[in-house]
Amino acid sequence: MIETWRWYGEFDPITLAEVAQTGAAGIVSALHAIPYGEVWPPEAITARKRSIEEAGFVWSVVESLPVHERIKKGEGDLSALFANYRQSMANLAEQGVQTICYNFMPLLDWTRTDLAAPVAGGATCLRFEATHMAAFEIHMLGRQAAEDDYSDEVRVRAAAWYQQATEADRDSLLKSIMAGMPGAFDRYDIPGLRTALAAYDGIDRNDLRANYARFLAEVVPAAEDLGLRLCVHPDDPPRDILGLPRIVSTGDDLEWVLATQDSPANGVTLCSGSLGAHPGNDVPSIAARVADRIHFAHLRNVRKEPDGSFEEAAHLDGDTDMVMLLRVLLREEARRRTEGRADHVIPFRPDHGHHMLTDHDRDFVPGYPLIGRLRGLAELRGVIRGIGHV
C-alpha cells in the first residue's frame, strides 16, 4: 500500500517539508480555490503538481473534484457542468494524475457538531453529538419533521440544551456544522441554510439516485477513455441529515453505485470512518464485497453510541477491526498482483486524527493536525508491516 498524506495547498498550515518527515510517499490534494463547476485550468494543475514533486512526492490522488449542487439536484440544463467536469478530468489526466476522489453528498460535506471534543490524556477529536444535532435542527433551524428523526430521549435532551445554551454556544454549534472543507465553497448562516435546503424540497432518495446515475453516465465513459479511476467517498455521517437523503452509506449502496456503471473506472474510496459510523455496517465485510473496485482508502476509526452519536477514536481503537480491514486490503493487492494489474497498489492515508501535543498550538484544518495524523500513520504502518511478516 502507498502511504499518502492529505495536503490542502495554500489553505494548509502544514508545509510539504513537514509532511516529508512523516515518511509518506504520496500527496492527496485538490485545487480548493476554484469554485465548484468551473474547469480546473492546466496551468493550475501543473503548478500544484510541480510543488508536490519538487518536495519529493507524487500527486497520488485528487481529493476532491467537487460535483456541483445543480448536478445533485438535477436542476436545469447541466450540459455545461458535465462538460466542465470532463475537461477537468482530461486536464488532470494530461498531467498523469489518475485517481479522482469525489462525493455525492447533498449540500454539506462531512458534518460534526464538535470540532474539539476532549479525549483521554488531553487530546481532542471530532464528534457528532445527536443531542446537539437535534437541537440545531429542531430549535435553531426550525426544520419541519426534524423531530421525527430523533428519539424521545434525544429530543428532551436537545430541548434542555437549547434552553440553557448561550448565543456563543449556538454560534459554535453552527460553525462546527458548517466547517466542511476549506477553499471555494459556501458556508451558511441560519437563513441561508434554510434557503439552500428549500432548493432540495421534493428530492427524495430515488430522485437523488437518478441524478447520481446521470452523473455517472456522463463521466465514467470519459474516465475510461482517459485511463482515470473515479472513486466515490461514502456519506459522512452515513445517515440522512437536515432532511436531505444520503445514498452512499452502506455496502448495498456501494454495490448499487458500481453496478450503475459497471466499469473499472467507476470505483470506491473505502473510508472506514464514514462507513464505520453506521450501526449496521461491518466495514471489513463491506471492503471484501467491493474489493476489486477500491481505488483509494481512508483509514480511521470511530466509537459509536446507542443514540446515534459517535466520535473519532484512535486509528487502532474504536468499533472497526482495523487489522482485519487491512488484511482485506492487502489480500486484494496480492490478488491484483497475481492478475498482473497495473493498479495493484492501493493508496491510503491516515484519515483525520486527534489534535494532540503541539497540535494545540497551531490552527489546523479541523481533523487534519500534524502530530495526530502522524501517530495514526505510524500505527497503520506498523500493522501493515506486521501482517506482511505473518
Side-chain angles (χ1 to χ4, degrees), residues 60-179:
S60 299
V61 180
V62 167
E63 185 181 351
S64 295
L65 182 57
V67 180
H68 198 277
E69 288 300 310
R70 286 183 55 210
I71 293 175
K72 297 174 188 176
K73 291 182 287 188
E75 179 182 272
D77 181 3
L78 300 175
S79 56
L81 287 173
F82 288 133
N84 286 356
Y85 203 95
R86 290 191 294 265
Q87 187 60 57
S88 294
M89 289 165 50
N91 294 346
L92 287 163
E94 181 68 23
Q95 289 298 316
V97 182
Q98 296 181 317
T99 305
I100 298 174
C101 174
Y102 69 97
N103 73 69
F104 213 80
M105 289 180 259
L107 200 60
L108 297 180
D109 206 294
W110 59 265
T111 304
R112 300 291 186 273
T113 60
D114 192 337
L115 305 182
V119 296
T124 63
C125 71
L126 302 182
R127 178 175 172 83
F128 182 92
E129 171 59 54
T131 297
H132 295 165
M133 195 68 204
F136 178 80
E137 291 205 62
I138 297 168
H139 301 287
M140 293 174 61
L141 189 62
R143 181 175 72 82
Q144 294 184 357
E147 293 193 2
D148 296 338
D149 292 343
Y150 298 95
S151 68
D152 292 343
E153 181 183 355
V154 169
R155 291 198 301 270
V156 169
R157 293 203 307 264
W161 180 89
Y162 180 76
Q163 289 170 4
Q164 60 81 39
T166 65
E167 183 175 353
D169 292 333
R170 297 171 190 174
D171 287 345
S172 177
L173 179 57
L174 175 63
K175 180 180 177 181
S176 296
I177 292 171
M178 291 294 107

Side-chain angles (χ1 to χ4, degrees), residues 213-250:
R214 180 183 177 189
F215 168 75
L216 291 174
E218 291 279 353
V219 301
V220 172
E224 290 177 343
D225 293 340
L226 294 165
L228 294 173
R229 295 180 292 269
L230 300 174
C231 42
V232 65
H233 188 287
D235 302 324
D236 187 9
R239 48 161 286 180
D240 293 358
I241 194 166
L242 299 174
L244 300 171
R246 292 290 180 91
I247 60 171
V248 191
S249 295
T250 66

